[in-house]
Amino acid sequence: MTWASIDLNADLGEGFGRWQLTDDEQLLSVVTSANVACGFHAGDAPTMRRVCESAAARGVRIGAQVSYRDLAGFGRRSMDVPRDELAAEIAYQIGALEVFARAAGSRVSYVKPHGALYNRVVHDEEQAAAVVEGVLLAGERLPVLGLPGSTLHTMAEKAQLPTATEAFADRAYTAEGTLVPRGQDGAVITDTAAVVERSVSMARFGVITARCGSTVGVRARSLCLHGDTPGAVALAREVRQQLETAGVRVEAFV
């Protein structure tokens, strides 16, 4: 399935104290949805407030990017967190971000897991159920952004939560349609031309070439560009420009 329009999202607010990873201000001038770190893998109260204010001023949708409690590992280490505990921590992160989103005149519009949690809930029913439970516990029936065909989406649909499918222009795919683990060579794609070509292919035709050379369907409503990729701002601008040149409307999915 392809779309006449596509959302561009980026992981933002990935700083802590004096440390800042992403160029939030510049990326917010390009993307239509912002996945804001909620303090567990990155982010702190001043950062969340600042990003929410900037996103609201630009009309960019605010999403809660929830994670395992793993500041030291940037949320990229898989953890066996009990279901009840993980659900509570998901709700906690959403609630924290909602305070700053509402203060900025906006609201949290969707939820997206980060890092190891994102990859874990593609297949893990218990962890996926915990994320869904956490979203419900937060008190809003928020859309859940994730990979097409993921266990997370199956569990969310059972709970009657909206879902939105996502693809990654700057990440390599396996033949099964999952992301190549970051620890493997070629997992992150940094060549601008390649990322642009993949973005247009996913938006217009719903397909991408896997690392093995096979064609994989990626029925994506939203396209993620990582804010920590080298040259992320220039890359995001080029992707948006070429999508629009190809006749694809760039607009928020929610």
Side-chain angles (χ1 to χ4, degrees), residues 2-248:
T2 57
W3 306 87
S5 66
I6 197 163
D7 173 60
L8 283 182
N9 77 73
D11 302 343
L12 302 178
E14 292 183 331
F16 192 84
R18 298 175 62 185
W19 174 70
Q20 183 173 331
L21 177 62
T22 51
D23 190 342
D24 298 329
E25 292 300 315
Q26 293 299 317
L27 285 167
L28 282 168
S29 69
V30 181
V31 301
T32 46
S33 296
N35 316 315
V36 184
C38 299
F40 272 39
H41 74 281
D44 54 23
T47 302
M48 286 190 282
R49 180 180 182 182
R50 173 178 52 77
V51 175
C52 284
E53 289 174 347
S54 295
R58 292 171 167 82
V60 174
R61 300 297 187 268
I62 296 170
Q65 188 161 42
V66 296
S67 172
Y68 289 123
R69 187 188 292 270
D70 183 26
L71 276 176
F74 197 61
R76 289 181 175 160
R77 299 181 292 190
S78 186
M79 297 182 170
D80 293 319
V81 182
R83 176 172 171 172
D84 288 349
E85 182 179 339
L86 181 57
E89 292 188 338
I90 296 300
Y92 179 93
Q93 292 174 78
I94 296 169
L97 189 64
E98 180 70 3
V99 168
F100 298 115
R102 287 191 178 275
S106 185
R107 60 182 292 262
V108 172
S109 295
Y110 64 94
V111 176
K112 174 185 172 178
H114 166 80
L117 182 60
Y118 187 98
N119 292 319
R120 183 81 174 263
V121 297
V122 171
H123 301 296
D124 191 310
E125 288 190 4
E126 184 174 2
Q127 298 281 278
V131 172
V132 170
E133 184 179 335
V135 175
L136 295 172
L137 184 60
E140 298 285 348
R141 305 192 74 81
L142 297 171
V144 179
L145 186 61
L147 282 183
S150 64
T151 299
L152 174 63
H153 276 183
T154 300
M155 302 298 286
E157 289 163 359
K158 286 182 179 178
Q160 298 184 327
L161 283 178
T163 61
T165 53
E166 180 180 37
F168 295 80
D170 54 4
R171 290 293 306 277
Y173 277 75
T174 68
E176 292 73 36
T178 58
L179 301 180
V180 173
R182 279 183 174 268
Q184 296 184 18
D185 291 341
V188 178
I189 299 166
T190 57
D191 179 73
T192 298
V195 174
V196 169
E197 186 276 329
R198 291 159 68 87
S199 300
V200 174
S201 177
M202 286 187 283
R204 293 192 62 196
F205 309 114
V207 296
I208 196 169
T209 301
R211 188 170 64 170
C212 66
S214 63
T215 299
V216 178
V218 284
R219 298 163 285 111
R221 184 64 189 86
S222 185
L223 181 63
C224 179
L225 295 168
H226 285 97
D228 60 348
T229 300
V233 174
L235 182 61
R237 287 176 175 153
E238 183 68 14
V239 166
R240 177 159 187 165
Q241 179 181 328
Q242 293 305 320
L243 284 170
E244 292 173 339
T245 298
V248 179

